[in-house]
Amino acid sequence: MSEPTPKKTPDKESRTSQTVLAKSAQGATFLILLQIGSRALTFIVNQVLLRYLSPELLGISTQLELYTISVLYFARESIRVALQRQRSDAGEADSDRTPGKQGEKPSGRVAKSYAQSREAQEVVNLSYIAIALGVPLAYWLAQLYLRSAEPSVLAAPFFHESLNIYAFATFIELLAEPCFAVASQKMLYGTRASAEASATFTRCILTCIAAIRASRNSHDIGVLPFAIGQIGYASVLCLIYYTKIWPVSTQSRFSLLLRPLSTSNPNQYILSRFSRPLISLSSNLYAQSGLKHILTQGDSLLIASLTSLTDQGTYALASNYGGLLARMLFQPIEESSRGLFGRLLSPSSTTTSTTENPAKLSPQGANSAKAYLLTILRLYTLLSAIILPLGPTLSPLLLSHLLGPHWTSHGAGSVLSAYCYYIPLLALNGILEAFVSAVATPAELRTQSLWMFAFSAGFAGAGYLLLRVYGLGARGLVLANAVNMLMRICWSWGFVQAWLGKQGVGVRVREFLPTVGTGVVGVVVAGGMKVLERGFEGGWRDLVQCVGVAGIYGLMLLFFERVFLLQCYQMLRPPKEDAKKKI
């Protein structure tokens, strides 16, 4: 008679959750530092490029970037989300044993190693679906782009050559998807950092060199420098990923090629290669991911169809500067949080569940997820307390000193000022939707897709009204984005409250609000910045005054939020047991 599988004690389960939280927090920190470094380099190079480019060329490059993003998103996003929700079962039966402990059977270690290799091969195999989807998507979207593009875009120098290069670069980037899946599953943040940082550096250098050389030689090569940079980015990314991950696959005994998987259950895999549960989950996520992409990139789609190339370039400039924070901070946090929620809240870790109705989780997992979610939300509200009082006044001032009147005369400063009110909504929506995508059942995902379809229709209508009827231009588009984002936040927050309520863990808005002192000082500073703005003379003195106010305000926030910030610092440190093991 076989012995029952030992259950995790609450103390061990608590330590496991704390370890996962610490690793995820450290991983998010790693990704944030990577984004800061790469975006800082991109920012510097862009300052050079903008002196050699017109708003029209920047508008075309934005359209090409949207093409690449769309192909990649529709090809791989639903698969990436599904893989992040995959719960590792390799260590469940063996989780209470320590390697080398007396009495541990060698067969247990062998079984665990085999399970880990099989899970790695599962994610590799599924990644090839993204590659297969990317080829027809690249062709179809390119044809759609060519048919809908304005004559001035099609007549731009080297436009067709640049589009072909972008399509080929997209395919090369998709070839690295198996390596990315393995790096994400095994939490190899160093590998991801080296690959993405090196690729970003290559893109910046190649783009800058091509643009400057063409300008000095009086050659008009249009958007070709951006295409050259993109092919360099994809090539270096693919090369470094395979260089780093291939030894991992050899050591862990799985292949980076498409390989059949042996199993006693013939219904577990499709064609003996693709996990049926992961395929099912990816299919359910696909429509929802498509609608999310339309909502996320809806501003680019609207402005490309309703405004001139000059307006597109101006909006691209403002949104790129305004979105720096989103790409450097929010995106890596959202990505790592989605994986963390999937690990903490997976039903398979505690009890049996059905596809449509997951069983109730242990209180420890739900409480850990709630604590992490509230911590991120609190950090975002503090960040909002900095952006809202300072950003609308300070950002146009910085833009005028960086680029001069050549760009600010087109209204980029006012658009950037309006974008500051949109950034906090972007942050809140990202973390809430990461929670939803990690725990929602297929039925709940379908419900979310219906709501997102309604939001996308409302966004399109509001955008058309504000852009075409009222003629508010890019500022109207920011307003439409803000309304759309607010609706998505309301739906996601309602889902989070209901889902955690079913687990016996309540959550309320006041749990992540900043202190009263922070709120009061923020209102005072916002009023003071408006007073300073009335006396601006357009010189460096204005900037020095604003920076001085921002510095004093930052010190006051540190004082009022010192207890919470100390808790965040302690969260980044691993549990004492893990620290002792390292020693």
Side-chain angles (χ1 to χ4, degrees):
M1 185 174 179
S2 61
E3 296 181 0
T5 303
K7 296 183 178 180
K8 292 184 181 180
T9 64
D11 288 341
K12 290 178 180 178
E13 189 173 302
S14 175
R15 287 197 298 270
T16 301
S17 297
Q18 290 175 3
T19 302
V20 172
L21 282 169
K23 287 183 178 180
S24 296
Q26 291 167 355
T29 304
F30 209 108
L31 293 177
I32 289 169
L33 292 175
L34 164 66
Q35 289 293 328
I36 290 175
S38 62
R39 296 302 172 182
L41 176 62
T42 305
F43 178 84
I44 294 171
V45 172
N46 282 342
Q47 304 317 300
V48 179
L49 284 176
L50 288 173
R51 300 182 181 276
Y52 297 92
L53 297 176
S54 64
E56 290 78 10
L57 283 180
L58 186 59
I60 297 175
S61 70
T62 303
Q63 293 180 7
L64 289 171
E65 183 180 2
L66 176 61
Y67 161 76
T68 298
I69 292 173
S70 298
V71 174
L72 293 174
Y73 197 94
F74 284 114
R76 71 188 184 188
E77 183 64 18
S78 61
I79 294 174
R80 282 188 172 186
V81 175
L83 292 178
Q84 284 181 327
R85 291 181 61 167
Q86 182 191 38
R87 175 76 183 194
S88 175
D89 298 323
E92 292 298 323
D94 211 28
S95 59
D96 293 329
R97 299 176 181 175
T98 304
K101 187 176 179 180
Q102 219 171 12
E104 182 180 5
K105 296 180 180 180
S107 59
R109 293 195 297 271
V110 173
K112 181 178 179 180
S113 175
Y114 172 77
Q116 290 174 337
S117 300
R118 185 192 64 205
E119 289 169 358
Q121 192 65 53
E122 283 181 357
V123 303
V124 168
N125 287 354
L126 198 66
S127 298
Y128 277 89
I129 296 179
I131 299 175
L133 289 174
V135 175
L137 279 171
Y139 175 78
W140 292 334
L141 290 179
Q143 294 302 311
L144 180 63
Y145 181 26
L146 289 173
R147 292 178 182 178
S148 60
E150 297 179 0
S152 57
V153 174
L154 299 175
F158 294 96
F159 170 77
H160 291 84
E161 292 83 355
S162 298
L163 179 59
N164 291 332
I165 293 174
Y166 264 90
F168 186 60
T170 302
F171 174 71
I172 294 177
E173 188 170 347
L174 283 173
L175 290 178
E177 200 61 20
C179 299
F180 176 89
V182 173
S184 297
Q185 185 198 48
K186 297 184 177 295
M187 303 178 77
L188 302 177
Y189 296 110
T191 298
R192 289 183 56 186
S194 61
E196 294 178 19
S198 300
T200 301
F201 177 79
T202 302
R203 176 169 57 189
C204 292
I205 295 301
L206 290 178
T207 305
C208 198
I209 290 176
I212 293 175
R213 285 183 63 87
S215 176
R216 289 181 176 178
N217 294 326
S218 300
H219 294 321
D220 185 5
I221 59 174
V223 291
L224 190 59
F226 293 97
I228 294 172
Q230 189 66 23
I231 193 70
Y233 172 88
S235 301
V236 171
L237 184 76
C238 192
L239 176 64
I240 294 181
Y241 261 132
Y242 276 97
T243 302
K244 296 284 187 179
I245 300 298
W246 198 276
V248 176
S249 68
T250 303
Q251 182 180 5
S252 300
R253 298 180 180 179
F254 66 90
S255 175
L256 290 176
L257 302 176
L258 193 61
R259 290 283 186 263
L261 293 158
S262 59
T263 178
S264 58
N265 182 6
N267 294 324
Q268 186 176 359
Y269 297 104
I270 299 174
L271 302 177
S272 301
R273 287 169 173 81
F274 306 109
S275 170
R276 191 176 296 272
L278 289 177
I279 288 288
S280 176
L281 180 58
S282 299
S283 301
N284 282 290
L285 288 167
Y286 196 84
Q288 188 254 2
S289 297
L291 286 173
K292 183 178 178 181
H293 175 68
I294 292 174
L295 285 173
T296 303
Q297 301 295 330
D299 54 352
S300 299
L301 296 171
L302 274 180
I303 201 166
S305 59
L306 298 178
T307 61
S308 65
L309 282 177
T310 301
D311 289 336
Q312 291 177 43
T314 302
Y315 179 78
L317 178 72
S319 61
N320 282 337
Y321 280 114
L324 273 176
L325 193 61
R327 292 186 291 271
M328 289 192 301
L329 183 62
F330 305 152
Q331 183 179 340
I333 289 179
E334 179 181 345
E335 183 179 334
S336 60
S337 298
R338 194 163 50 198
L340 171 64
F341 292 138
R343 291 182 180 91
L344 290 176
L345 302 175
S346 173
S348 62
S349 64
T350 55
T351 185
T352 304
S353 63
T354 64
T355 303
E356 298 292 328
N357 298 296
K360 188 173 181 178
L361 305 178
S362 69
Q364 182 60 44
N367 281 321
S368 297
K370 174 191 171 181
Y372 179 83
L373 177 63
L374 289 177
T375 299
I376 299 300
L377 290 173
R378 178 76 177 272
L379 285 171
Y380 282 172
T381 56
L382 291 180
L383 190 62
S384 302
I386 297 173
I387 295 173
L388 294 178
L390 301 174
T393 302
L394 192 56
S395 56
L397 191 61
L398 286 170
L399 189 65
S400 64
H401 284 288
L402 284 172
L403 302 180
H406 175 65
W407 283 89
T408 53
S409 61
H410 291 284
S414 62
V415 178
L416 185 58
S417 179
Y419 207 93
C420 292
Y421 295 103
Y422 172 63
I423 292 175
L425 299 177
L426 199 64
L428 295 176
N429 178 73
I431 186 65
L432 292 176
E433 287 194 349
F435 186 97
V436 174
S437 64
V439 304
T441 63
E444 290 167 337
L445 288 173
R446 288 191 291 271
T447 301
Q448 186 192 24
S449 297
L450 293 175
W451 279 103
M452 293 186 75
F453 179 78
F455 297 156
S456 63
F459 168 70
Y464 180 84
L465 188 67
L466 294 169
L467 285 172
R468 183 61 62 87
V469 178
Y470 290 101
L472 295 181
R475 294 190 67 182
L477 189 57
V478 174
L479 178 60
N481 266 321
V483 173
N484 164 53
M485 201 62 65
L486 187 59
M487 291 189 294
R488 290 168 63 178
I489 289 171
C490 290
W491 189 92
S492 298
W493 177 247
F495 177 91
V496 170
Q497 283 188 310
W499 196 92
L500 288 177
K502 291 177 183 177
Q503 308 304 322
V505 182
V507 60
R508 290 167 290 188
V509 173
R510 68 169 178 262
E511 293 183 75
F512 60 82
L513 292 179
T515 62
V516 176
T518 298
V520 172
V521 174
V523 172
V524 173
V525 170
M529 292 295 288
K530 292 299 180 183
V531 173
L532 283 177
E533 187 177 8
R534 294 173 187 171
F536 281 172
E537 299 176 353
W540 284 97
R541 185 168 174 266
D542 302 331
L543 185 59
V544 172
Q545 288 178 340
C546 291
V547 171
V549 172
I552 296 173
Y553 180 44
L555 293 175
M556 297 181 74
L557 286 185
L558 289 176
F559 173 77
F560 285 119
E561 303 292 340
R562 61 190 183 280
V563 176
F564 170 71
L565 295 175
L566 181 60
Q567 293 173 351
C568 292
Y569 170 74
Q570 293 172 345
M571 183 180 177
L572 292 174
R573 303 177 64 185
K576 293 181 179 179
E577 291 81 359
D578 292 343
K580 291 179 180 178
K581 288 179 183 179
K582 291 180 180 179
I583 297 175

